[in-house]
């Protein structure tokens, strides 16, 4: 039970992940130190404090659910937390490790581990919201530390913040970044991807890799047709869609369609 009239409490929990989202939070540096002056950070293994069973006001969760032990731990966290916020593609959409959901994961396990019988995995790698109720989802690979900080401040002030899911293209326009797809013919998933990163890749003359998940009203079919017109092969389109956020429904559905076309064209043989 959370008692009133005390400093707010925060925890940052890790599930199946690479720790990159915790690092993004940690790399905030001085703003994080300033936050630590007004809250108690009770669990954040990457930063030092470890008390996983603490009652908290905000529990940030990095990583996806991969084992039944993960699911049980997660339910306990939900019971002890006023707000649960997922941070990053792994926690919000299953992450890169959910690529095994699309493959013969048992064959992968047998190919990788010396003692596959010791590996106790659930059938799929799933986002946190498939196991517990989540109050807010922050996308990204990694998540944007500034966005995590802003959400923390808003929740501590008593309101659930709005997270912008307009397309990355809107961010390019705001920053007056020249469009890499129009000007250089570089494939870019920005038209169907949610902003949040600040359009970092287009600013560096690279196409967007869809780290921040689907934008609102993402028209994946229209973008895919455009990519075909630029000469991108079907298997490459499928790979781009089934990447960091491969379990996000607009990317999963379109990516599977493109995979099916590849299989059909190869006479029914899966090409990888
Ligand atoms: S979302 Fe990306 S950076 Fe964050 S934990 Fe997962 S793989 Fe790492
Ligand atoms: S570079 Fe990509 S994200 Fe930016 S405007 Fe062009 S298509 Fe959109």
């Amino acid at each position: 039970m959370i008692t009133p009239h005390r400093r707010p409490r925060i925890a940052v929990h890790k599930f199946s992940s690479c720790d990159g989202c915790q690092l993004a939070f940690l790399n905030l540096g001085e703003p994080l130190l300033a936050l630590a002056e007004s809250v108690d950070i009770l669990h954040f293994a990457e930063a030092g404090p470890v008390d996983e069973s603490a009652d908290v006001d905000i529990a940030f969760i990095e990583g996806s659910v991969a084992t039944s032990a993960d699911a049980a731990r997660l339910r306990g966290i939900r019971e002890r937390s006023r707000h649960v916020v997922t941070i990053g593609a792994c926690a919000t959409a299953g992450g890169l490790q959910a690529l095994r959901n699309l493959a013969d994961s048992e064959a992968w396990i047998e190919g990788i581990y010396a003692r596959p019988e010791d590996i106790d995995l659930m059938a799929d790698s799933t986002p946190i919201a498939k196991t517990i109720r989540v109050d807010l989802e922050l996308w990204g690979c990694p998540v944007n530390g500034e966005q995590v900080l802003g959400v923390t401040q808003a929740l501590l002030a008593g309101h659930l913040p709005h997270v912008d899911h307009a397309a990355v293209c809107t961010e390019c326009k705001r920053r007056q970044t020249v469009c890499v797809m129009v000007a250089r013919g570089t494939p870019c998933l920005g038209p169907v991807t949610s902003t949040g990163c600040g359009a970092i890749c287009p600013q560096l003359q690279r196409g967007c890799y869809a780290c921040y998940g689907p934008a609102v009203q993402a028209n994946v079919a229209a973008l895919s047709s455009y990519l075909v017109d630029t000469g991108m092969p079907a298997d490459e389109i499928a790979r781009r869609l089934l990447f960091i956020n491969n379990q996000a429904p607009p990317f999963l559905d379109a990516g599977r369609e493109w995979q099916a076309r590849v299989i059909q064209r190869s006479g029914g043989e899966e090409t990888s």
Side-chain angles (χ1 to χ4, degrees):
M1 187 72 183
I2 298 165
T3 44
H5 312 304
R6 53 146 178 78
R7 275 157 62 104
R9 295 172 168 179
I10 289 178
V12 183
H13 296 275
K14 171 186 165 61
F15 285 79
S16 290
S17 58
C18 79
D19 288 25
C21 288
Q22 291 185 73
L23 267 181
F25 200 176
L26 203 52
N27 283 344
L28 279 169
E30 284 189 15
L32 182 60
L33 292 176
L35 177 70
E37 304 252 305
S38 56
V39 303
D40 289 328
I41 300 176
L42 298 183
H43 179 75
F44 189 175
E46 191 93 5
V50 176
D51 181 5
E52 198 174 88
S53 58
D55 289 344
V56 295
D57 298 284
I58 309 174
F60 290 104
I61 313 240
E62 173 197 80
S64 65
V65 180
T67 67
S68 46
D70 282 349
R73 179 159 67 96
L74 193 53
R75 289 191 194 98
I77 290 169
R78 177 69 266 186
E79 282 171 17
R80 297 189 298 274
S81 310
R82 183 185 293 174
H83 299 293
V84 169
V85 179
T86 58
I87 51 171
C90 297
T92 304
L96 273 178
Q97 58 273 31
L99 283 171
R100 73 180 174 85
N101 303 4
L102 306 168
D104 181 351
S105 60
E106 282 188 17
W108 283 11
I109 289 169
E110 280 172 20
I112 292 167
Y113 295 100
R115 294 170 56 93
E117 64 276 14
D118 290 347
I119 306 299
D120 179 23
L121 283 179
M122 292 164 79
D124 287 335
S125 169
T126 58
I128 300 302
K130 279 227 167 156
T131 303
I132 59 165
R133 179 175 57 80
V134 169
D135 299 294
L136 199 67
E137 293 181 321
L138 296 179
W139 298 71
C141 184
V143 77
N144 179 334
E146 299 285 343
Q147 204 175 34
V148 177
L149 187 64
V151 160
T152 307
Q153 288 161 341
L155 288 174
L156 294 179
H159 65 93
L160 200 60
H162 167 73
V163 179
D164 188 9
H165 288 295
V168 178
C169 298
T170 60
E171 193 67 35
C172 283
K173 300 296 172 270
R174 278 196 290 268
R175 291 170 184 264
Q176 300 187 353
T177 302
V178 173
C179 176
V180 297
M181 197 144 69
V182 171
R184 302 160 64 107
T186 305
C188 179
L189 292 187
V192 296
T193 301
S194 175
T195 187
C197 61
I200 295 171
C201 289
Q203 285 183 68
L204 298 170
Q205 288 86 51
R206 290 159 49 107
C208 165
Y209 285 84
C211 305
Y212 278 70
V216 278
Q217 299 179 324
N219 190 340
V220 183
L223 178 66
S224 302
S225 301
Y226 183 85
L227 294 175
V228 170
D229 290 345
T230 65
M232 185 178 279
D235 61 338
E236 178 63 21
I237 295 176
R239 264 200 296 276
R240 293 221 176 204
L241 293 170
L242 300 175
F243 190 38
I244 294 165
N245 285 298
N246 60 79
Q247 296 297 299
F251 298 161
L252 179 63
D253 296 345
R256 276 191 163 145
E257 268 179 43
W258 283 98
Q259 262 188 340
R261 289 185 207 196
V262 174
I263 294 167
Q264 203 177 23
R265 280 177 206 170
S266 63
E269 293 287 315
E270 285 198 45
T271 54
S272 81

